[in-house]
Amino acid sequence: MKKQKLKQKSFNLSPPSLLALGFLSFIIIGTFLLKLPVANNGHLSWMDALFTSTSAVTITGLSVINIGHALTTTGQIILLFLIQIGGLGFMTFAILAALSLAPQLGLKQQIMAQDSIGHTSLSKVTFVAQAVFIYTLIFELIGTVILTVVWTSQFGFLHALYYAMFYSVSAFNNAGFSLFPNNLINFYDHYIVCLTISFLYILGGMGFLVLMDIKQHKRWRKLSPNSKIIIVSIGVLNLVGFLMIWLLEANNPLTLYNMSFGEQAINAWFQATVPRSSGFNTIDIGSMTNSSTLLTMFMMFIGGGSLSTAGGIKVGTAVILLFSVIAFLKRHDEVRIFNHSISYESTFKALAVAIITLILIFVGFFTILILEPHKNFLDLFFEIVSAACTVGLSRGITGELNNSSLFVLTLLMFAGRLGPLTLAYLIATPRKSRLKHPNADIQIG
């Protein structure tokens, strides 16, 4: 009896703790697998292996090595598996595994899954997990077929199939890992390649609940307010970003200036939509103007939809904060979006997500400034935002950072993948107090 009680106590962890341990376990396993002689060319350090594994599991895409040369085919397949694990989510795999053993999940397992795949009702957790798995395979298969057809004439069928599979998985999961040393810059004028990959990371970053809602209702009027907010917000951000990047980079000889009209359009679109969370690039990020770089960081901070492969604070969070400010300025007694009221709990949660993310960015940036005193200020800031928001874009300095700085980025990627709210619950589980305190009149502004 005592042994059973001890076992129960030892495994009595909160859902966020179990989720964190799950991701951490895959990162550690991935690190050891990438260090195997069969997985690399013999020049992969432990720090490089840890950083690469973390970047893959957190579907960030930052890399200190040339994936196509530093890793063997076996190592690349291991990396692809880690990306898929990170994209689908540790608990989604756990749910699917549990389904094969039991007809229904227990309440605790459902709560764990709820923390992992998003704040949806417990009754939908199993259904959502299955849908995530199916949708992922379908879209990755579509991308693989299209890219295989396009690349066969250039690489041959087998190589084209392998490249297509790798990039489809990397794109849909918003990982941004590339087998080519200069990412996708060589394909800046391949319209089908650029559109297919952008199609994959946009869908992956939109969110599985939105995709399920569209499939189920098919009409705009019947979609949930959450789906409408995500679709409209991502559409507006992509369109505005596309026009702004094109305008800001059109006269830049290092990026868009020497391209044709069509090439400028497709590359402006690609670089405007990539900051949702994908780390691909068709132009040199380090050569972009300061204004475009700042805009890109803003887009990285916002990220994509909830319950998606995207990072950032999520567009739903940003929209709630924006409409809360508008409601306050207009002296409305409630926050309204699409004729629906937003609860105070959702507003506080959105504020918490944004503030925690900003704190992570500030602490990480301050630390790395101390560790890298001779590096460019903007380059370091860009790197920190990219890591904390699990985007993977870089201005080309990742491989130049020392091990201490890489460890800071590793922690930021891990925290960013867990999610600010999950991280906050992990650090301090909220407890309700029965005591009521008097109001304090604190001056604001």
Side-chain angles (χ1 to χ4, degrees), residues 130-204:
Q130 291 174 318
V132 167
F133 186 76
I134 293 171
Y135 284 176
T136 298
L137 293 183
I138 289 174
F139 287 120
E140 288 176 355
L141 179 61
I142 292 172
T144 300
V145 171
I146 295 174
L147 293 176
T148 300
V149 172
V150 174
W151 280 338
T152 296
S153 60
Q154 183 177 356
F155 300 110
F157 177 73
L158 291 179
H159 281 91
L161 177 62
Y162 178 69
Y163 288 148
M165 179 185 68
F166 187 96
Y167 280 92
S168 294
V169 173
S170 185
F172 187 76
N173 289 289
N174 277 253
F177 280 101
S178 176
L179 295 175
F180 305 118
N182 57 356
N183 211 287
L184 292 174
I185 290 179
N186 289 343
F187 300 95
Y188 77 93
D189 56 349
H190 289 229
Y191 294 178
I192 297 178
V193 172
C194 292
L195 288 175
T196 300
I197 290 179
S198 67
F199 168 80
L200 287 171
Y201 62 64
I202 288 173
L203 284 176

Side-chain angles (χ1 to χ4, degrees), residues 91-106 109-110 126:
M91 280 314 303
T92 307
F93 271 102
I95 294 167
L96 294 173
L99 287 175
S100 63
L101 300 175
Q104 291 183 341
L105 293 174
Q109 286 72 28
Q110 289 187 31
T126 300

Side-chain angles (χ1 to χ4, degrees), residues 149-351:
V149 172
V150 174
W151 280 338
T152 296
S153 60
Q154 183 177 356
F155 300 110
F157 177 73
L158 291 179
H159 281 91
L161 177 62
Y162 178 69
Y163 288 148
M165 179 185 68
F166 187 96
Y167 280 92
S168 294
V169 173
S170 185
F172 187 76
N173 289 289
N174 277 253
F177 280 101
S178 176
L179 295 175
F180 305 118
N182 57 356
N183 211 287
L184 292 174
I185 290 179
N186 289 343
F187 300 95
Y188 77 93
D189 56 349
H190 289 229
Y191 294 178
I192 297 178
V193 172
C194 292
L195 288 175
T196 300
I197 290 179
S198 67
F199 168 80
L200 287 171
Y201 62 64
I202 288 173
L203 284 176
M206 188 174 291
F208 294 102
L209 284 181
V210 177
L211 297 177
M212 291 165 58
D213 198 17
I214 293 173
K215 180 180 180 297
Q216 182 178 359
H217 295 108
K218 297 180 177 65
R219 293 183 179 181
W220 178 258
R221 293 181 180 179
K222 294 184 178 181
L223 295 180
S224 68
N226 176 70
S227 296
K228 291 179 180 179
I229 289 172
I230 300 244
I231 293 171
V232 171
S233 301
I234 289 180
V236 170
L237 286 170
N238 286 345
L239 180 59
V240 173
F242 161 64
L243 295 175
M244 290 296 293
I245 293 292
W246 196 351
L247 178 66
L248 295 171
E249 295 297 324
N251 294 319
N252 185 350
L254 299 177
T255 54
L256 301 183
Y257 179 74
N258 295 315
M259 298 181 184
S260 66
F261 182 86
E263 290 168 357
Q264 285 189 357
I266 194 68
N267 284 275
W269 167 260
F270 198 91
Q271 293 311 136
T273 54
V274 151
R276 293 279 74 73
S277 186
S278 175
F280 292 113
N281 61 285
T282 57
I283 61 176
D284 183 11
I285 302 296
S287 299
M288 294 173 67
T289 61
N290 289 340
S291 53
S292 295
T293 301
L294 181 61
L295 177 62
T296 300
M297 286 192 288
F298 174 73
M299 303 284 267
M300 289 195 295
F301 179 74
I302 293 177
S306 298
L307 187 51
S308 73
T309 57
I313 64 171
K314 305 298 187 295
V315 291
T317 303
V319 169
I320 289 177
L321 291 175
L322 176 62
F323 276 78
S324 297
V325 172
I326 294 173
F328 173 78
L329 295 176
K330 290 185 175 182
R331 296 295 190 267
H332 291 165
D333 56 355
E334 62 179 1
V335 181
R336 292 189 294 269
I337 305 176
F338 287 117
N339 296 321
H340 284 75
S341 176
I342 304 300
S343 67
Y344 285 110
E345 181 183 1
S346 295
T347 302
F348 287 139
K349 192 177 293 184
L351 184 61

Side-chain angles (χ1 to χ4, degrees), residues 41-110:
N41 61 12
H43 301 287
L44 191 71
S45 68
W46 280 106
M47 188 66 239
D48 291 345
L50 174 63
F51 188 89
T52 305
S53 178
T54 304
S55 186
V57 173
T58 60
I59 53 173
T60 302
L62 287 174
S63 181
V64 292
I65 60 174
N66 184 333
I67 301 298
H69 291 89
L71 300 181
T72 63
T73 302
T74 301
Q76 293 168 13
I77 293 174
I78 291 172
L79 184 71
L80 207 61
F81 178 74
L82 294 174
I83 293 171
Q84 195 73 285
I85 286 285
L88 289 176
F90 165 72
M91 280 314 303
T92 307
F93 271 102
I95 294 167
L96 294 173
L99 287 175
S100 63
L101 300 175
Q104 291 183 341
L105 293 174
L107 180 60
K108 185 173 182 178
Q109 286 72 28
Q110 289 187 31

